[in-house]
Structure formats: C-alpha cells, structure tokens
Amino acid sequence: MLALEIVLLIIAAILLAALFSPKNWSIEATIEIQKPKQVVYDYLKILKNSEQYNKWVMTDPNMKKVFKGTDGTVGFVYSWDSENKQVGKGEQEIKKLIEGSRIDYEIRFIKPFAGTSTSSLLLESLSDNQTRVKWTFNSSSNYMMKIMHVLFNLKKVLLKDLQASLGNLKSNLDN
C-alpha cells in the first residue's frame, strides 16, 4: 500500500509542477566564429545550409524535404517529414531578414506534437574577422507539453541540441 501512495504522490507532484510551470519559455545559446559577420550571415540565411550544422535536421538523413520559394528570402519554407519520432513532421519559414545581422523564423511542428515556435539568429561583429552568433528559440506549451517538460527536462535537452548545432556551425565556418 505504501508503494501505491508513493507512486500517487510522485504523479501528483509532476502534475502540480506542470500546472505551475510557465506557459511561455525560451532558450538561447551563443558562439563565436572566426569569420566576418557578412560571411556568417550569408551562410545562415540559406536555410538549406542547416543540413550541415543543425542537429535536429541532421538526425535523420533520410527524411523527406520540400522547399517552397527562394532560399535566403522572406517567405521561403523548408518542410520535413520523418518516421523518426525525434524529428517528426513540420516546417520552418523565414519570416524576417535584417541584412547582415538577424534572421527570424517561424517553426510549425505537426507531429509528434503540434505547436508553433519562433527562432532567431542574431549576429554581432566582434572584430573584422570574428562574429558572435546568438540563437534564440521561443515557444509556449499546453498542459500536456508542460508535463513533458517536467518529466524530461526538455528545456535542458533542447539547449544542449542548440549548443551542439552552434558547435557544428563553428566547425563548418572556422575551417
């Protein structure tokens, strides 16, 4: 009987933690790259280049991809569909470009969970040949997703993936 009470207490604690966790959340990571800001920007604004550094895109090399519009311009959409549950199905659209300094995206997830997030890449020149890239990711979670965040510490997992992606970016561009 005591084991059942402990299990129920744990479940109640998770449900309460999810209830009181924030609906909106964000993560951000930065890295410094040994290239001029414009070179980094020109590479990043081409969404297809994410296949070379983005951990989430690189997870399933066999995923189906569809491209709509002109890559590197506002309105370009990169859609994906994968049997891999870590990748799922969705699309990313370039929403705003500020030449040389900022790229804004809207990411629409379809499966395994539906949702919409925003992401930005912000570039800052540290010197003629050094650029700081800050990658931000903002989202909101319904109650079920808040439970997933509590159970799996998703924010920490996503931050680790964001940092890995920036590490890949640095490796690609610093060479």
Side-chain angles (χ1 to χ4, degrees):
M1 194 64 166
L2 182 59
L4 177 61
E5 290 171 348
I6 291 172
V7 169
L8 291 175
L9 189 59
I10 291 170
I11 292 170
I14 291 168
L15 295 175
L16 275 173
L19 182 64
F20 291 105
S21 59
K23 177 181 176 142
N24 298 317
W25 55 274
S26 63
I27 56 173
E28 69 178 48
T30 61
I31 200 154
E32 294 176 7
I33 296 174
Q34 303 304 313
K35 292 284 185 205
K37 184 170 86 163
Q38 192 63 46
V39 170
V40 177
Y41 176 82
D42 289 342
Y43 181 82
L44 287 173
K45 78 175 183 178
I46 304 300
L47 200 45
K48 290 179 189 173
N49 285 340
S50 65
E51 296 174 0
Q52 307 303 314
Y53 65 89
N54 187 313
K55 183 180 185 311
W56 300 305
V57 174
M58 296 168 67
T59 298
D60 180 4
N62 298 315
M63 73 177 157
K64 297 175 192 127
K65 302 169 195 162
V66 176
F67 309 106
K68 298 175 197 157
T70 303
D71 200 354
T73 65
V74 172
F76 178 75
V77 177
Y78 181 122
S79 300
W80 71 90
D81 191 359
S82 172
E83 296 300 318
N84 183 324
K85 291 180 183 178
Q86 291 180 330
V87 178
K89 180 178 182 178
E91 60 186 19
Q92 181 172 350
E93 179 178 352
I94 299 174
K95 297 300 273 186
K96 183 177 182 181
L97 295 168
I98 299 175
E99 182 60 35
S101 62
R102 183 179 180 122
I103 305 161
D104 291 339
Y105 304 104
E106 182 175 85
I107 306 165
R108 299 177 287 268
F109 300 98
I110 299 166
K111 70 175 189 178
F113 300 102
T116 301
S117 300
T118 60
S119 181
S120 297
L121 292 163
L122 306 149
L123 289 82
E124 174 188 357
S125 183
L126 300 176
S127 70
D128 287 346
N129 202 36
Q130 188 177 32
T131 304
R132 177 177 293 131
V133 177
K134 178 165 66 169
W135 194 345
T136 66
F137 189 86
N138 304 288
S139 193
S140 61
S141 299
N142 62 27
Y143 185 65
M144 285 305 293
M145 282 306 295
K146 287 167 62 170
I147 291 171
M148 299 292 284
H149 274 268
V150 170
L151 282 174
F152 300 110
N153 199 357
L154 286 184
K155 197 170 171 181
K156 182 178 179 181
V157 171
L158 293 172
L159 180 58
K160 184 178 174 187
D161 289 348
L162 205 62
Q163 290 168 326
S165 296
L166 285 173
N168 293 337
L169 177 68
K170 180 175 178 63
S171 293
N172 291 348
L173 292 180
D174 275 357
N175 293 327

